[in-house]
Amino acid sequence: MLQSLAAVTVLVPSYDEGLAFFRDVLGFAVLEDTPLSATKRWIVVGPSPSTGAVLVLAVPSDESQRARVGDQAGGRVGFFLHSGDFWADYENLLSSGVSFLESPRREIYGLVAVFVDPWGGKWDLLQPAAGAPETP
């Protein structure tokens, strides 16, 4: 029986640009960075080295893939980043230059705000309802 989702591929314009955002802005750990050829690398990043799914950063190999960078979910929120301290993470992301598309809001499922990565991909910063604090 299947037990967990291990990894998801995210298309980025270049490996360096992907690392600059995921490692340097979001603070993700680089779990693996292995050269596969002169132009290809296997890069795995994640918010934590020990829990949850990870991202495989992939550089497009053709125009069709290049056109999908930042639009992998067809304009919908495609990625959900859980937070244990929504307000601290929200303020940290704002101060790092992350662009939020809305003010934080309370939903039945938790405290949430949508932000975009540098290529237009939409992300939810989400503290699930069970642990979400009240809006200040």
Side-chain angles (χ1 to χ4, degrees):
M1 172 158 292
L2 299 176
Q3 297 184 9
S4 68
L5 178 65
V8 175
T9 297
V10 175
L11 291 169
V12 294
S14 73
Y15 296 117
D16 290 340
E17 289 175 88
L19 287 170
F21 180 68
F22 290 104
R23 180 193 59 210
D24 302 340
V25 174
L26 294 186
F28 282 19
V30 178
L31 305 172
E32 188 172 352
D33 186 350
T34 304
L36 299 177
S37 72
T39 59
K40 192 171 182 179
R41 291 158 63 184
W42 178 258
I43 298 179
V44 179
V45 299
S48 166
S50 60
T51 61
V54 296
L55 301 177
V56 176
L57 304 185
V59 173
S61 61
D62 59 31
E63 279 306 312
S64 174
Q65 291 178 13
R66 215 168 338 279
R68 302 305 300 173
V69 172
D71 190 30
Q72 295 174 95
R76 294 184 56 103
V77 171
F79 306 97
F80 300 82
L81 192 55
H82 279 193
S83 171
D85 186 343
F86 181 90
W87 291 109
D89 288 333
Y90 177 76
E91 292 298 329
N92 185 46
L93 291 174
L94 278 176
S95 69
S96 295
V98 171
S99 178
F100 280 84
L101 299 179
E102 62 184 13
S103 297
R105 67 185 193 285
R106 181 162 298 283
E107 296 289 347
I108 194 166
Y109 52 84
L111 190 55
V112 63
V114 177
F115 70 93
V116 292
D117 62 34
W119 314 285
K122 293 181 182 175
W123 293 70
D124 267 0
L125 175 62
L126 172 66
Q127 185 164 358
E134 291 300 317
T135 304

